């Protein structure tokens, strides 16, 4: 079989002989159609798996959208506050006395955090 038509299927140790026979028959039926040919025919990945496992009652989970970078980033205002707590108290007092706004930007997702001296006093 040419490399473009090869498929790799790994059986689980408890696979029943009738399931193996059915899988072998499905593989033989698909032998003349490469994955590229199936894709050109409009068959997606799920369709290819369904064709390969025809008669074996495969179970699929519903596809769900992947979260964006910002949604999966662990940054938070609390993390910024924890970082501020690491500063010596003298520096924090200096920032607050000069009425400076503290800004922090997450380098991973780009979220900006701004804290006024009032915010810092209330939350620290």
């Amino acid at each position: 079989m040419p490399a473009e038509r090869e498929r790799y299927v790994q059986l689980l140790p408890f696979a029943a002989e009738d399931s193996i026979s059915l899988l072998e028959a499905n593989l033989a039926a698909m032998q003349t159609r490469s994955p590229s040919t199936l894709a050109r025919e409009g068959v997606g990945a799920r369709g290819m798996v369904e064709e390969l496992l025809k008669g074996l009652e495969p179970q699929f989970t519903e596809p769900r959208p992947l979260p964006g970078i910002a949604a999966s980033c662990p940054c938070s205002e609390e993390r910024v506050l924890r970082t501020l707590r690491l500063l010596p108290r003298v520096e924090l007092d200096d920032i607050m006395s000069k009425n400076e706004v503290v800004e922090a930007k997450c380098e991973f997702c780009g979220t900006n955090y701004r804290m006024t001296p009032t915010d810092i006093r209330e939350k620290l």
Side-chain angles (χ1 to χ4, degrees):
M1 181 185 295
E4 67 186 29
R5 293 199 175 112
E6 290 182 15
R7 290 166 177 86
Y8 179 79
V9 178
Q10 184 172 354
L11 298 171
L12 295 173
F14 53 83
E17 283 300 319
D18 56 335
S19 296
I20 296 170
S21 299
L22 187 54
L23 183 59
E24 288 172 342
N26 291 345
L27 281 166
M30 294 175 71
Q31 188 172 1
T32 59
R33 297 165 64 208
S34 72
S36 298
T37 302
L38 290 167
R40 279 194 290 279
E41 293 172 359
V43 179
R46 182 175 175 150
M48 291 181 203
V49 172
E50 286 173 340
E51 198 165 324
L52 178 66
L53 300 177
K54 192 182 303 180
L56 295 174
E57 300 177 22
Q59 296 177 7
F60 296 94
T61 59
E62 289 302 314
R64 49 182 198 254
L66 296 173
I69 290 176
S72 62
C73 185
C75 73
S76 68
E77 186 175 288
E78 178 57 37
R79 283 186 171 217
V80 175
L81 288 169
R82 276 190 271 162
T83 304
L84 288 174
R85 285 185 191 109
L86 296 174
L87 293 174
R89 188 66 199 184
V90 175
E91 280 189 51
L92 278 175
D93 290 339
D94 187 48
I95 290 169
M96 289 185 279
S97 69
K98 291 178 181 176
N99 210 25
E100 294 178 355
V101 175
V102 174
E103 293 184 357
K105 179 180 178 182
C106 176
E107 294 297 323
F108 183 68
C109 71
T111 301
N112 288 307
Y113 295 94
R114 297 188 78 224
M115 293 184 184
T116 64
T118 307
D119 295 333
I120 295 169
R121 273 190 208 95
E122 289 174 1
K123 295 176 182 176
L124 287 181

